[in-house]
Amino acid sequence: QVQLVESGGGLVQAGDSLRLSCAASGRTMSSYAMGWFRRAPGKEREFVALSHWSGGTYYADSVKGRFSISRDNAKNTVYLQMNSLKPEDTAVYYCAAEPRPVRGSFYYEGTFGSWGRGTQVTVSS
């Protein structure tokens, strides 16, 4: 398994930006699907974005046009650039990884075998 450590969370105001990072170790992530999920207070963990090993990216409708996922395989790091943040983006953000071939939907947290501990993002109105 790959070990994942998230960073970059914090307290910001609505409309601000943040960039989350997820550093992977133990395996090279070039052949991994790398995802971001989040869990808001009182809610289940939900899909946010995915970076496929082929270069494709996928987003939840709620963040499309505001968030951008990218990866630097040389640094074994995946990023989540979050712009125009809203109070409803407040959540703990988790990085997830699964090596190819992936069996299951990328939108489902059970598909991913490796998880970070999460980083808190709080957006005030």
Side-chain angles (χ1 to χ4, degrees):
Q1 280 191 337
V2 63
Q3 289 76 48
L4 305 172
V5 178
E6 304 96 336
S7 61
L11 171 63
V12 297
Q13 293 187 331
D16 286 350
S17 298
L18 273 178
R19 189 176 81 155
L20 304 183
S21 299
C22 172
S25 61
R27 293 285 191 275
T28 178
M29 70 175 209
S30 59
S31 60
Y32 276 70
M34 302 296 296
W36 286 97
F37 287 72
R38 66 185 181 187
R39 178 182 283 131
K43 296 187 176 180
E44 294 186 352
R45 191 155 54 183
E46 65 176 3
F47 170 80
V48 176
L50 182 103
S51 171
H52 194 269
W53 57 78
S54 67
T57 56
Y58 305 87
Y59 298 94
D61 288 343
S62 59
V63 306
K64 204 171 292 184
R66 299 188 299 121
F67 290 13
S68 177
I69 189 170
S70 62
R71 64 165 67 198
D72 185 336
N73 287 334
K75 295 183 178 180
N76 241 24
T77 301
V78 63
Y79 305 98
L80 185 67
Q81 178 66 43
M82 306 186 295
N83 299 328
S84 302
L85 282 161
K86 304 175 181 180
E88 50 263 44
D89 294 318
T90 294
V92 178
Y93 283 72
Y94 298 89
C95 180
E98 183 66 17
R100 59 187 295 181
V102 173
R103 297 178 177 83
S105 169
F106 291 128
Y107 301 98
Y108 173 52
E109 62 175 326
T111 297
F112 294 83
S114 298
W115 290 85
R117 292 189 174 186
T119 185
Q120 176 71 47
V121 172
T122 303
V123 184
S124 63
S125 57

